[in-house]
Amino acid sequence: MASCSGCGPGYRTPLDAMKGPREEIVYLPCIYRSTGILKPDYLATVDVDPKSPTYCQVIHRLPMPNLRDELHHSGWNACSSCFGDATKTRNRLILPSLISSRIYVIDVGTDPRAPKIHKMVEPVDVLWKCNLANPHTSHCLGSGQIMISCMGDPSGDGKGGFLLLDGETFEVIGNWEHPGEAAPFGYDFWYQPRHNVMISTEWGAPKALVDGFNPAHVKDGLYGSALHVWDWTTHRKLQTLALGEDGAIPLEVRFLHDPSATEGYVGCALRGNVFRFYRTPAGDWAAEKVISVPSKKVEGWMLPEMPSLITDILISLDDRFLYFSNWLHGDIRQYDITDRRNPKLVGQVFLGGSLIRDGPVRVLEDPENQDQPSPCFIKGKRVPGGPQMLQLSLDGRRLYVTTSLFSGWDKQFYPEMIREGSVMMQIDVDSMNGGLSLNQDFLVDFGKEPDGPALAHELRYPGGDCTSDIWL
């Protein structure tokens, strides 16, 4: 919280947020669906304060009252978009379940170190009131409502619609989009009221991806490759930006944090590309490819070419650096984006992945001519899986990383992660000149959880962060 009288949650500007307090705890959903362990998913609270006696430990676990929810991403009841409203408090974490379509509202205000369940929105409310399912990204709106993007309809087909929750009662209000105007697929979204725009992305049909990735499903049209541009005021869909094969499976979308900016970036998983989207002088929107991580020709893997699989992407609060994870290749990259159209690679670190030199995969041809990396060890533990979800400290100096993507895909690509659990790591960032290095003294091992190895996913700070907060 910003310390000023008469103001709401978060920070006045992104640059003010960079001066916010150092993170002390982090919330992570931990998943058991697809692991064979019949226990509920739970919200873990992790101590990340180096001065604390419980540093690097899970200090609280809040189990959900159901099995196989597949907790995934989280959002807030209020964020910096409500900064001007002193009646608003950031005290509820919105926790949608990607597979069960249940939405949990978590009380993190009463005791931030020991969250508890405040309310459950049952799947029937999502299915019947909105004809939607598989809720993914939640953002609070300046109006006090909460908007959640969905990936499917109740039968498991793709449907990119949006539901609204009341910000006080957390009841489902209905759809944000107009009838018949949902996108063919859904996933993530980001809005920018100053330019009256919202942009949404596409993963795929839930019933195609629920238990793993079948490359034939891409040809069958069960995965997306477009961005959708919406009028923020009228809720009308204005444009579909078809990104083509190079833009297949566009996942996380990030506007620049500066609310006056009319551009941002999206990571496209399947071909390892980052596209820049921007408003043109004519007033419509367009997209161009600005970063490409080439696939590598390999043997000993499921396909003859291995894509990098860009899965998470974020931008530092000063809009200077872009970070993304290559879940299959096993590296995190840092780009200087001062020249928005020509990002420059300034940092790279390998943290496991599918190309480790003592593994079954051999690289036959690599356009980047990089050596196959050594396996990653921290405190004697070999890191299973590859780097996936990212969260940057407000000051831009620490990057937190987890390794689970989605339980059905974890099981397919990294079966050892199902057996050994995921991990949380910390990367030290040179936020002046660029550069990434692994902190060898930081490890949270979710393989040692009381109910068995768990898959920890997205990272969230109690006071907001660079993937939750939007400035108006």
Side-chain angles (χ1 to χ4, degrees):
M1 289 273 182
S3 55
C4 66
S5 58
C7 60
Y11 301 89
R12 191 180 302 279
T13 68
L15 294 179
D16 282 354
M18 289 191 82
K19 303 184 193 104
R22 181 182 168 128
E23 66 284 355
E24 294 180 352
I25 56 172
V26 175
Y27 301 126
L28 304 94
C30 294
I31 290 89
Y32 279 126
R33 196 190 75 87
S34 307
T35 66
I37 296 173
L38 277 178
K39 292 285 183 178
D41 297 350
Y42 58 98
L43 184 71
T45 307
V46 171
D47 186 333
V48 293
D49 178 3
K51 301 188 294 293
S52 165
T54 50
Y55 181 53
C56 279
Q57 291 177 32
V58 179
I59 58 171
H60 185 266
R61 297 169 186 87
L62 174 68
M64 301 301 117
N66 298 281
L67 294 173
R68 300 193 186 95
D69 276 319
E70 188 91 35
L71 300 179
H72 198 62
H73 286 211
S74 63
W76 292 109
N77 65 318
C79 77
S80 294
S81 66
C82 305
F83 179 79
D85 185 348
T87 67
K88 295 278 191 291
T89 309
R90 187 197 308 259
N91 60 359
R92 301 287 184 263
L93 188 72
I94 312 301
L95 199 51
S97 307
L98 197 59
I99 297 304
S100 72
S101 301
R102 197 171 274 109
I103 300 166
Y104 297 100
V105 181
I106 309 298
D107 174 2
V108 294
T110 307
D111 182 355
R113 301 175 84 84
K116 54 183 192 251
I117 293 177
H118 172 71
K119 183 183 172 74
M120 267 193 302
V121 177
E122 287 297 333
V124 288
D125 285 342
V126 178
L127 311 180
W128 293 355
K129 288 185 181 175
C130 303
N131 196 31
L132 292 171
N134 313 103
H136 186 271
T137 298
S138 45
H139 281 300
C140 55
L141 312 185
S143 66
Q145 293 179 332
I146 295 150
M147 179 163 154
I148 306 179
S149 59
C150 293
M151 288 178 49
D153 67 12
S155 60
D157 294 314
K159 186 178 182 183
F162 306 87
L163 67 87
L164 291 170
L165 293 183
D166 183 283
E168 300 293 327
T169 65
F170 304 102
E171 293 291 325
V172 176
I173 297 168
N175 298 64
W176 179 86
E177 78 281 2
H178 290 270
E181 288 192 13
F185 301 103
Y187 184 71
D188 195 21
F189 74 102
W190 198 279
Y191 66 89
Q192 204 41 281
R194 207 176 282 196
H195 309 295
N196 193 34
V197 69
M198 184 269 278
I199 293 185
S200 67
T201 65
E202 301 186 327
W203 185 3
K207 67 183 180 188
L209 59 83
V210 61
D211 291 318
F213 175 66
N214 178 350
H217 284 159
V218 178
K219 293 188 183 66
D220 294 342
L222 295 173
Y223 284 91
S225 59
L227 302 181
H228 301 278
V229 182
W230 306 75
D231 183 303
W232 187 238
T233 310
T234 66
H235 306 187
R236 293 282 176 197
K237 191 163 65 170
L238 301 175
Q239 275 181 273
T240 294
L241 305 179
L243 304 179
E245 286 190 1
D246 276 352
I249 312 186
L251 295 180
E252 310 294 336
V253 60
R254 311 290 185 214
F255 261 92
L256 297 182
H257 296 287
D258 176 355
S260 65
T262 51
E263 60 189 323
Y265 300 90
V266 59
C268 301
L270 196 57
R271 296 292 180 94
N273 295 313
V274 175
F275 278 72
R276 169 182 170 259
F277 58 86
Y278 58 96
R279 194 172 67 185
T280 72
D284 62 350
W285 293 78
E288 60 180 352
K289 185 169 71 173
V290 291
I291 299 171
S292 185
V293 180
S295 298
K296 302 177 194 283
K297 284 194 176 144
V298 295
E299 63 180 16
W301 195 63
M302 63 184 279
L303 297 169
E305 290 204 357
M306 184 189 291
S308 73
L309 215 74
I310 295 175
T311 45
D312 199 13
I313 160 176
L314 58 77
I315 297 172
S316 62
L317 285 168
D318 57 5
D319 291 334
R320 195 173 152 211
F321 293 112
L322 172 81
Y323 300 85
F324 62 77
S325 51
N326 292 310
W327 191 58
L328 291 177
H329 286 181
D331 59 316
I332 291 175
R333 299 189 183 204
Q334 176 192 24
Y335 286 79
D336 184 323
I337 54 169
T338 314
D339 179 350
R340 307 293 185 207
R341 298 190 67 186
N342 296 289
K344 189 171 112 210
L345 181 64
V346 291
Q348 183 181 26
V349 62
F350 277 89
L351 304 164
S354 294
L355 296 170
I356 43 176
R357 61 180 56 156
D358 63 354
V361 177
R362 196 161 72 86
V363 175
L364 305 176
E365 204 176 299
D366 177 7
E368 293 185 317
N369 287 320
Q370 294 190 331
D371 291 334
Q372 288 190 234
S374 301
C376 178
F377 287 89
I378 308 174
K379 295 187 168 184
K381 179 179 170 85
R382 182 182 176 126
V383 172
Q388 210 288 101
M389 290 310 293
L390 307 174
Q391 193 52 265
L392 189 66
S393 60
L394 296 179
D395 63 10
R397 292 178 187 167
R398 293 167 301 285
L399 188 68
Y400 294 94
V401 188
T402 57
T403 49
S404 167
L405 173 76
F406 168 73
S407 68
W409 291 32
D410 295 349
K411 188 174 185 176
Q412 176 183 10
F413 290 100
Y414 292 118
E416 69 276 15
M417 191 159 44
I418 300 290
R419 292 191 302 271
E420 300 168 36
S422 66
V423 299
M424 174 176 165
M425 301 172 274
Q426 189 193 75
I427 309 297
D428 293 320
V429 179
D430 183 337
S431 57
M432 294 294 291
N433 309 304
L436 303 175
S437 58
L438 176 64
N439 178 352
Q440 288 286 351
D441 296 319
F442 186 101
L443 177 72
V444 185
D445 181 0
F446 290 92
K448 295 194 164 79
E449 286 296 271
D451 283 331
L455 302 169
H457 192 60
E458 195 197 36
L459 305 126
R460 206 40 92 223
Y461 303 147
D465 48 58
C466 67
T467 59
S468 69
D469 280 38
I470 291 177
W471 281 268
L472 303 188

